[in-house]
Amino acid sequence: MSQNLTVAVVGATGAVGREMLKTLHARQFPAASIRAFASARSAGSKVAYGDTELTVEELKEDIFDGIHLAIFSAGGATSSKFAPYAAHAGCVVVDNSAAWRMDDRCPLVVPEVNAHALEKHQGIIANPNCSTIQMLVVLKPLHDVAGIRRVIVSTYQAVSGTGQKGIEELERQVRDLFNGRDPENKTYPYRIAFNVLPHIDVFLENDYTKEEMKMVNETVKILEDPSVRVTATCARVPVFFCHAESVNIETEKKISAKEARILLSQAPGVKVIDNPRELLYPMPAYCIGDDPTYVGRIREDETIDNGLNMWIVADNVRKGAALNAVQIAEELIRRDLVRVTDKSVFM
Ligand code: A2P
């Protein structure tokens, strides 16, 4: 089957869409044909796929016939509207937006953590929030051994998490400031250049942001364990690529920092960089374009009996979005799950 697959990238002109095409090509994804879709604005323009170029087509309701697998990164509104048409046409969707993540019909998957959840898919699979993905790649092995009870996480998130417009806003504001001009805020409510915003996505009734509550709710769904309590503070920092996270966990059983380092150095998708004496720890500027999720600064929390602190960094456009989505697609092929059994579920 995989040799005959036609794969669509929806949102192909965006920051994540371009990275998806790059990742599909770099990993020699077994597709017979790759098609690129975006809005009517971009129809006819070109996007790179390896050494070749694909002509961007306009996304419409009726384009999914003959497409076996579609990877979406075109925002929640586009996914809400178009993913059901895809599933109805028998095309399996891997969606990078928040639109389907908490829908009981849709598995929410980090392949290193819960690939088994794919077995029950009904046509739409959700890719988790970037900050949740990198946190859980590291926390899952610790949860399996020590039982995580509570997580306190503070994030330092790059502007590429807001897409191309976030990248352009930071670039423009840095240029404006260096040229003595007042920077204009188009994408964020305040200046992001040389600033930190304790605010990502909209504020909710409980005074948390939607981004913070995504980390809380998605963690429980992915770990399939409502007993894990998460509290999050998400901040936007003037960094182009790679999110960093300060993570504190309290566990059921004691696990030493040394044991955690050994465990994590054997965990899939994780790379430990943790040697304070040599000043070795993960940092956004040195993780750009890399696949692994990096962890360092692992140390025992001296204020509680069973606690650890750590610092987690990953490329948000890559593992936090494009790579995780492509890994889901690869896992679907490996498990022979590129099919929609009941095409009426989402219509
Ligand atoms: P376009 O470039 O035509 O606007 P980013 O997250 O970097 O902002 O990228 C968003 C991606 O989603 C772009 O490829 C964008 O295409 C695409 N997109 C946005 N709205 C739609 C839509 N209504 N239909 C199809 N693609 C869309």
Side-chain angles (χ1 to χ4, degrees), residues 63-343:
I63 57 105
F64 295 102
D65 275 334
I67 296 177
H68 303 97
L69 187 63
I71 311 182
F72 275 60
S73 189
T78 306
S79 295
S80 297
K81 179 173 171 195
F82 290 95
Y85 286 102
H88 192 247
C91 166
V92 179
V93 172
V94 180
D95 180 40
N96 191 46
S97 80
W100 300 97
R101 288 183 192 146
M102 298 313 294
D103 190 310
D104 288 340
R105 298 167 295 181
C106 305
L108 182 64
V109 176
V110 182
E112 292 90 339
V113 176
N114 65 334
H116 65 91
L118 291 171
E119 297 286 346
K120 289 197 180 141
H121 90 77
Q122 300 185 67
I124 302 177
I125 295 125
N127 203 42
N129 171 264
C130 42
S131 297
T132 312
I133 293 175
Q134 67 183 69
M135 182 171 83
L136 291 189
V137 169
V138 174
L139 294 194
K140 176 67 161 76
L142 300 172
H143 186 50
D144 286 345
V145 166
I148 295 174
R149 279 198 211 148
R150 181 167 187 239
V151 180
I152 305 171
V153 53
S154 299
T155 69
Y156 305 68
Q157 298 183 219
V159 293
S160 50
T162 320
Q164 196 57 36
K165 59 185 188 296
I167 298 172
E168 284 163 15
E169 178 124 322
L170 177 56
E171 264 170 10
R172 196 181 54 248
Q173 291 186 346
V174 168
R175 255 199 319 273
D176 283 346
L177 286 163
F178 277 125
N179 285 289
R181 292 189 293 263
D182 269 347
E184 196 187 346
N185 309 318
K186 287 189 187 165
T187 299
Y188 301 112
Y190 296 97
R191 198 179 96 192
I192 184 62
F194 308 108
N195 194 17
V196 174
L197 308 184
H199 169 193
I200 298 181
D201 210 329
V202 296
F203 281 97
L204 303 172
E205 282 279 293
N206 64 359
D207 290 343
Y208 283 80
T209 61
K210 202 167 169 190
E211 183 82 355
E212 289 160 353
M213 294 313 294
K214 284 176 197 167
M215 294 193 80
V216 173
N217 297 325
E218 292 179 20
T219 296
V220 167
K221 179 165 175 178
I222 295 164
L223 294 181
E224 296 165 8
D225 188 347
S227 73
V228 179
R229 311 295 308 278
V230 180
T231 187
T233 303
C234 294
R236 185 75 68 197
V237 295
V239 160
F240 285 107
F241 297 99
C242 298
H243 292 347
E245 298 176 341
S246 160
V247 179
N248 173 277
I249 58 169
E250 184 173 0
T251 55
E252 199 86 32
K253 284 195 234 145
K254 173 97 187 149
I255 177 164
S256 70
K258 194 173 166 201
E259 286 164 339
R261 261 181 229 117
I262 292 168
L263 190 67
L264 291 172
S265 63
Q266 294 155 2
V270 178
K271 190 151 187 209
V272 178
I273 302 184
D274 195 16
N275 187 344
R277 267 140 226 93
E278 305 268 335
L279 309 188
L280 292 176
Y281 34 73
M283 286 174 283
Y286 301 94
C287 298
I288 297 171
D290 287 358
D291 287 351
T293 297
Y294 293 92
V295 59
R297 302 294 326 278
I298 301 168
R299 60 216 190 274
E300 280 149 51
D301 176 351
E302 296 175 345
T303 67
I304 49 177
D305 288 337
N306 304 334
L308 288 178
N309 282 307
M310 67 202 82
W311 176 251
I312 299 172
V313 180
D315 188 326
N316 57 301
V317 175
R318 223 173 153 78
K319 182 56 185 167
L323 174 63
N324 199 72
V326 172
Q327 286 174 316
I328 289 174
E330 289 170 347
E331 195 63 34
L332 286 168
I333 293 175
R334 207 176 65 75
R335 292 171 183 249
D336 195 19
L337 290 169
V338 186
R339 55 183 153 69
V340 180
T341 323
D342 177 357
K343 294 180 181 171

Side-chain angles (χ1 to χ4, degrees), residues 10-17 37-43 56 58-59 73-75 78 82 160 162-165:
V10 176
T13 52
V16 171
F37 291 90
S39 76
R41 291 180 291 274
S42 309
V56 177
E58 181 184 351
L59 180 66
S73 189
T78 306
F82 290 95
S160 50
T162 320
Q164 196 57 36
K165 59 185 188 296

